[in-house]
Amino acid sequence: MWPGVLKLLVLLTFLLHLSRCAQMQKKVVNFREKEKEVLDDILGPGRYDARIRPSGENGTDGPAVVRVNIFVRSISKIDDVTMEYSVQLTFREQWLDERLRFSDFKGRLKYLTLTDASRVWMPDLFFSNEKEGHFHNIIMPNVYIRIFPNGFVLYSIRISLTLSCPMNLKLYPLDRQVCSLRMASYGWTTDDLVFLWKEGDPVQVVKNLHLPRFTLEKFYTDYCNSKTNTGEYSCLKVDLLFKREFSYYLIQIYIPCCMLVIVSWVSFWLDQSAVPARVSLGVTTLLTMATQTSGINASLPPVSYTKAIDIWTGVCLTFVFGALLEFALVNYASRSDMHSDNIEKKYPPSETEQSTSMDLPSDQVEPDNSSNFAMKPLVRQPEDTMSMDRMEHCELHMQPRKKNCCRSWLSKFPTRSKRIDVISRIFFPIVFAFFNLAYWSAYLFRKEEQDE
């Protein structure tokens, strides 16, 4: 009998041990249930007040320190007219709230996750240069709060913002623009809240960031604390340096304008009698250039200063208008030449006029008191010897007149209208080439100074 009882006791002990092991395994599997207990413990009623800010570093009464970092996901547009840009970013804040410390159960509970930001104290940060903004709620709100065992709180949210970006367009389209992202405290002064950039790469940008007309060259982080009559407020800022892509403007603006100016010079090579062709060519190029200029100005804001593109379009428009005025001058000179030719044909010079034009030397013709002229003898008098010697001496020192190459070349074209066309064929391209040299030298040099 006793051996049977002993076997029964051993069996019961074994079963009891198995049940205890099963309970322990059950507790390990359901360890996540401890999170609810911890949240109820640290955030329960009467234990935590979200209206009170955390204490300073090391539990002092100093300001709460919030470290910020951002991740730029995309930059959708940079608008020159409204002077604004749109950006989508992941915004993160991290601070220490010692009231939220909890046990990590020997490293098994790494952090607690919340999605309701109203459960804990939050910094009152706002974007001071923001025009519009919205959160992302598809499929779920893109926000989380992580509470770590040592009391650190990490807040992360994805937001899209439209921010103002004041621009200086004096070098447009050879310019660079600096657009800022400013973040500041709205109600807490620096005595209660201080924003700092997170140490080590506080701003990150997505790889292969593509913009339609700009390139993000670099960015800078800085502080921009502001003082008002209510106190001093902590502020952070990021300066994004954008370089405008010039190839688009070279193809769409500069090359077409050059082509229009060159086309306007074709009228110099047309015959002066082709009035309809030259007038239609000049008017067409002038209207096309005016349309191009108005289209460029429509894509830019009205500013009080002169832009680089204004100088270019203005000079090109002047050259096109000058070509049209040149034809007006040629037409006037042509009609003047025709009028002179008609007069010469109507009143040809007579033989008597030709004979009187060949006057004898004054020393061989002497007027007397009568209406006739007395001819001097052709024999040289002795007293004239001295004067003739002087004349020979003067002739030795007289140099022949130098031939002017320009005049000799222009003498090939008998009419003034043809001369004006020939001179314009050379003058207009040379002046336009000098303008291009001065324009690109000046603005590219100023562009390098801006880079420095």
Side-chain angles (χ1 to χ4, degrees):
M1 180 177 179
W2 289 107
V5 174
L6 183 61
K7 291 181 180 179
L8 182 61
L9 290 175
V10 172
L11 181 60
L12 291 173
T13 303
F14 179 72
L15 293 174
L16 182 62
H17 178 71
L18 288 177
S19 64
R20 287 181 178 178
C21 291
Q23 288 179 0
M24 291 181 64
Q25 291 179 358
K26 186 177 181 180
K27 288 183 180 179
V28 172
V29 172
N30 298 325
F31 189 78
R32 293 293 102 186
E33 292 181 358
K34 286 292 183 180
E35 293 185 8
K36 178 180 181 303
E37 298 178 6
V38 173
L39 288 173
D40 292 340
D41 182 51
I42 62 177
L43 298 177
R47 293 180 177 273
Y48 185 87
D49 192 347
R51 299 172 297 177
I52 308 301
R53 71 168 180 86
S55 58
E57 292 183 345
N58 300 322
T60 62
D61 196 27
V65 178
V66 178
R67 302 187 182 275
V68 177
N69 71 304
I70 60 175
F71 175 69
V72 179
R73 293 182 173 272
S74 65
I75 299 174
S76 58
K77 70 171 183 176
I78 301 176
D79 197 336
D80 298 319
V81 178
T82 57
M83 292 192 179
E84 63 186 21
Y85 72 104
S86 298
V87 60
Q88 182 185 129
L89 52 87
T90 299
F91 176 75
R92 304 186 187 99
E93 295 175 307
Q94 190 171 5
W95 66 92
L96 175 63
D97 194 342
E98 295 182 352
R99 298 172 294 175
L100 299 176
R101 291 173 182 255
F102 61 90
S103 175
D104 61 352
F105 295 95
K106 297 182 180 181
R108 295 182 178 180
L109 192 59
K110 294 183 179 180
Y111 55 80
L112 302 174
T113 303
L114 299 176
T115 56
D116 186 6
S118 62
R119 297 288 299 277
V120 297
W121 176 87
M122 294 292 299
D124 61 342
L125 181 140
F126 77 104
F127 297 93
S128 58
N129 61 331
E130 175 234 346
K131 289 185 175 181
E132 294 180 358
H134 66 272
F135 302 121
H136 294 267
N137 297 317
I138 300 176
I139 300 177
M140 294 293 292
N142 299 169
V143 59
Y144 68 80
I145 299 174
R146 290 177 181 174
I147 304 175
F148 294 87
N150 56 2
F152 273 100
V153 181
L154 174 62
Y155 173 72
S156 177
I157 187 171
R158 186 165 73 100
I159 53 179
S160 292
L161 300 169
T162 300
L163 305 162
S164 65
C165 178
M167 299 181 183
N168 186 353
L169 300 174
K170 288 183 178 180
L171 298 181
Y172 176 91
L174 302 168
D175 58 335
R176 284 175 166 81
Q177 300 298 334
V178 178
C179 295
S180 298
L181 173 64
R182 294 174 177 267
M183 300 159 284
S185 173
Y186 189 80
W188 299 98
T189 63
T190 52
D191 296 331
D192 296 313
L193 178 62
V194 173
F195 289 112
L196 297 177
W197 286 113
K198 183 181 179 181
E199 296 179 358
D201 201 11
V203 178
Q204 299 173 334
V205 180
V206 66
K207 294 182 180 179
N208 300 324
L209 179 64
H210 295 289
L211 296 173
R213 289 182 296 173
F214 287 88
T215 300
L216 179 60
E217 286 194 329
K218 59 184 73 174
F219 51 85
Y220 309 94
T221 58
D222 202 356
Y223 297 91
C224 53
N225 291 6
S226 59
K227 290 184 179 181
T228 65
N229 56 2
T230 58
E232 182 179 359
Y233 298 90
S234 182
C235 176
L236 303 177
K237 74 171 181 177
V238 184
D239 290 333
L240 305 173
L241 179 60
F242 295 102
K243 176 186 176 182
R244 197 182 299 272
E245 289 292 341
F246 180 68
S247 58
Y248 168 81
Y249 300 93
L250 180 64
I251 297 172
Q252 296 294 327
I253 296 177
Y254 284 91
I255 292 179
C257 288
C258 283
M259 294 175 65
L260 286 174
V261 172
I262 295 173
V263 167
S264 68
W265 299 341
V266 175
S267 66
F268 304 153
W269 300 86
L270 298 178
D271 189 75
Q272 58 191 11
S273 61
V275 177
R278 297 186 68 163
V279 170
S280 61
L281 180 63
V283 172
T284 302
T285 53
L286 183 62
L287 292 177
T288 306
M289 191 65 215
T291 304
Q292 180 87 345
T293 303
S294 62
I296 295 170
N297 293 330
S299 62
L300 293 173
V303 292
S304 59
Y305 48 82
T306 303
K307 303 180 288 293
I309 195 67
D310 293 336
I311 296 177
W312 176 263
T313 55
V315 171
C316 290
L317 190 62
T318 302
F319 271 93
V320 174
F321 184 68
L324 187 60
L325 289 183
E326 187 270 349
F327 172 66
L329 182 61
V330 167
N331 186 266
Y332 173 78
S334 176
R335 288 186 287 109
S336 178
D337 292 338
M338 291 176 61
H339 182 68
S340 300
D341 293 341
N342 291 334
I343 292 178
E344 290 180 0
K345 291 179 180 179
K346 189 174 182 180
Y347 303 103
S350 59
E351 295 180 359
T352 57
E353 292 176 350
Q354 292 180 359
S355 61
T356 55
S357 61
M358 300 175 62
D359 295 334
L360 292 173
S362 60
D363 59 348
Q364 298 186 17
V365 180
E366 279 189 359
D368 53 7
N369 296 331
S370 63
S371 60
N372 298 323
F373 288 87
M375 302 294 294
K376 279 190 175 183
L378 295 177
V379 181
R380 183 174 296 171
Q381 300 296 330
E383 59 270 14
D384 295 336
T385 305
M386 186 63 67
S387 61
M388 294 299 296
D389 292 339
R390 290 179 181 178
M391 290 179 62
E392 291 176 358
H393 181 69
C394 292
E395 289 177 356
L396 292 175
H397 290 280
M398 288 179 63
Q399 296 180 357
R401 178 182 293 180
K402 293 183 179 180
K403 293 185 178 180
N404 193 329
C405 60
C406 294
R407 288 185 178 180
S408 61
W409 179 67
L410 289 176
S411 62
K412 299 179 181 179
F413 309 100
T415 60
R416 289 184 299 170
S417 57
K418 190 64 176 178
R419 292 175 186 174
I420 294 173
D421 270 342
V422 171
I423 293 174
S424 298
R425 294 172 190 175
I426 302 173
F427 177 76
F428 274 74
I430 290 177
V431 175
F432 190 68
F434 273 110
F435 163 71
N436 273 272
L437 180 63
Y439 180 87
W440 296 113
S441 300
Y443 280 101
L444 291 178
F445 179 73
R446 291 179 64 180
K447 183 181 178 182
E448 293 178 357
E449 288 184 344
Q450 189 184 38
D451 296 344
E452 296 177 358

